[in-house]
């Protein structure tokens, strides 16, 4: 660590280069939107990598001459490495800077996507999907730390909400784009698209993304201090409760994302180009909930915002279970429950995320990594275990979402009972 006296009066060209340019400092709404757009674009890599190729499951099974159930294993093959590497993306950015880690991650992802496009067997596809998973989470994790580096208090909540709004559009359009590529050019073109998308982001970030962590504030990348930092965060009950609440809440929605082929083809009887019936309502809820979160910043405390989010999620899952206990799945009633659930989820998520990051202001990258790792681990379990068990029935899916939301609520209530901190992000 650098002595406090040295930090008080930074000198030299390296410090000036590392500091974010004035265009990205708080207070400039236009530049704030540009930064939010860049970080949201990085975060969209994850949902694009999951959702664009879902309409191609049947054609991929035919291409590799395997059962369609085996193609579904490309989801956990991606999600498990994704979850593992999110534990390290933020730590690497704490040591080497935010910007270099993002640029390297984008380059690796582009190479992995090209590998998927030219895979000749299921085993090759699984290997390149794992490489995609190892690199896809870097923008999501490091971007959260960058927001907290640059902004404080309600400004941070507003920027986080803007990122969530832009990010939320990706799962809505991804399966639609995937359906177009599938019907027009075949499933391999989807992975070519992902490679080009990552390449475009790499160029944009190299040109415009600032470095938000100056060298004086970085931590050494050495085993002993890293292990001590991991132990400190994982030993914090409040932190574990918050990141678990976020992961449980998201899994209630992600259950429908990874079950989309079963819902669209099996439960609703729709076709490959009609995934928008599920994704557009769900992501509209994400965008609207994030918009509400931004509007309520400075008007409602973090805890009241979170409580409102859970009230909306609770009403949605109760309606979902009640409807499907009495009626078969049908449009629009089946997807309305997903839409209202995501409104509540994205309303609560920015506040919960900032509460978690603010517990360890000197280890924000690591905190963002552990949050992303927890969320990705739960997502992998949801895709590999819960979805195969529940996707054949709309009622079972509704009960699964209810159980996951209740687990998130329990974690949040436990957090509120273990702290007397003020209702503020600052």
């Amino acid at each position: 660590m650098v002595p406090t006296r040295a930090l008080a009066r930074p000198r030299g060209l390296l410090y000036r280069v590392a500091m974010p340019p004035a265009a990205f400092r708080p207070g400039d709404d236009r530049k704030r939107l540009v930064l939010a757009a860049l970080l949201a674009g990085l975060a969209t890599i994850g949902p694009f990598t999951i959702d664009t190729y879902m309409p191609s499951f049947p054609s991929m099974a035919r291409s590799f001459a395997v059962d369609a159930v085996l193609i579904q294993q490309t989801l956990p093959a991606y999600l498990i490495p994704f979850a593992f590497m999110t534990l390290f993306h933020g730590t690497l950015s704490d040591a080497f800077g935010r910007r270099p880690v993002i640029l390297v991650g984008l380059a690796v992802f582009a190479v992995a996507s090209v590998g998927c496009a030219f895979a000749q067997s299921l085993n090759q596809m699984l290997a390149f999907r794992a490489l995609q998973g190892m690199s896809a989470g870097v923008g999501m994790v490091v971007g959260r730390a960058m927001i907290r580096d640059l902004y404080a208090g309600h400004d941070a909540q507003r920027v986080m909400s803007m990122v969530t709004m832009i990010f939320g559009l990706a799962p809505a359009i991804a399966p639609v784009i995937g359906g177009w590529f599938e019907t027009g050019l075949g499933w391999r073109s989807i992975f070519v698209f992902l490679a080009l998308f990552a390449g475009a982001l790499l160029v944009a970030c190299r040109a415009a993304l600032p470095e938000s962590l100056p060298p004086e504030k970085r931590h050494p990348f050495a085993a002993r201090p890293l292990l001590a930092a991991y132990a400190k965060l994982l030993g914090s009950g409040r932190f574990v409760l918050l990141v678990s609440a976020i992961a449980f809440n998201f899994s209630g929605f992600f259950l429908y994302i990874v079950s989309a082929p079963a819902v669209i083809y099996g439960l609703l009887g729709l076709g490959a180009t009609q995934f928008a019936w599920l994704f557009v309502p769900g992501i509209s809820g994400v965008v609207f909930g994030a918009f509400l979160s931004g509007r309520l910043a400075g008007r409602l405390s973090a805890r009241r915002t979170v409580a409102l989010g859970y009230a909306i999620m609770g009403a949605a899952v109760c309606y979902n279970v009640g409807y499907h206990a009495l009626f078969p799945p049908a449009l629009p009633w089946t997807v309305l429950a997903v839409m209202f659930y995501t409104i509540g989820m994205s309303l609560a998520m920015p506040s919960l995320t900032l509460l978690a990051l603010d517990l360890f202001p000197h280890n924000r990258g690591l905190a963002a990594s552990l949050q992303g790792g927890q969320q990705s681990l739960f997502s992998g379990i949801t895709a590999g275990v819960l979805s195969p068990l529940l996707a054949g029935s709309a009622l079972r899916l509704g009960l699964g979402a209810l159980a996951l939301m209740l687990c998130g609520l329990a974690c949040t209530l436990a957090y509120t009972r273990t702290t007397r901190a003020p209702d503020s992000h600052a």
Side-chain angles (χ1 to χ4, degrees), residues 22-25 28-37 151:
F24 285 92
R25 289 174 186 163
D28 187 331
D29 289 339
R30 184 177 65 85
K31 296 302 181 181
R32 182 187 301 173
L33 180 60
V34 170
L35 178 62
Y151 298 95

Side-chain angles (χ1 to χ4, degrees), residues 300-386:
L300 286 185
S301 68
R303 292 182 184 175
R304 290 183 179 179
T305 302
V306 170
L308 178 59
Y310 273 112
I312 297 172
M313 283 189 283
V317 291
C318 288
Y319 157 78
N320 194 8
V321 171
Y323 175 84
H324 290 108
L326 299 173
F327 305 102
L331 294 174
W333 314 113
T334 296
V335 299
L336 280 178
V338 179
M339 181 180 73
F340 281 101
Y341 182 90
T342 56
I343 291 175
M345 179 197 74
S346 62
L347 176 60
M349 185 176 289
S351 295
L352 290 172
T353 299
L354 291 171
L355 285 171
L357 293 179
D358 284 353
L359 290 175
F360 299 97
H362 300 296
N363 299 99
R364 288 187 186 124
L366 176 56
S369 272
L370 291 176
Q371 182 209 326
Q374 181 85 320
Q375 183 171 318
S376 301
L377 176 62
F378 281 33
S379 296
I381 295 171
T382 301
V385 179
L386 296 182

Side-chain angles (χ1 to χ4, degrees), residues 35-76:
L35 178 62
L38 282 173
L39 296 180
L42 292 168
T44 58
I45 288 180
F48 266 115
T49 311
I50 294 172
D51 300 333
T52 49
Y53 85 120
M54 281 188 175
S56 297
F57 276 21
S59 60
M60 290 176 67
R62 291 191 297 270
S63 179
F64 293 136
V66 298
D67 191 273
V69 175
L70 293 178
I71 296 298
Q72 190 169 1
Q73 295 308 305
T74 58
L75 284 171

Side-chain angles (χ1 to χ4, degrees), residues 183-211:
T183 56
L185 298 173
W187 67 265
R188 295 183 187 275
S189 63
I190 294 172
F191 293 99
V192 173
F193 162 74
L194 291 175
L196 294 174
F197 179 62
L201 277 174
L202 179 61
V203 172
C205 289
R206 184 176 174 83
L209 190 69
E211 174 57 69

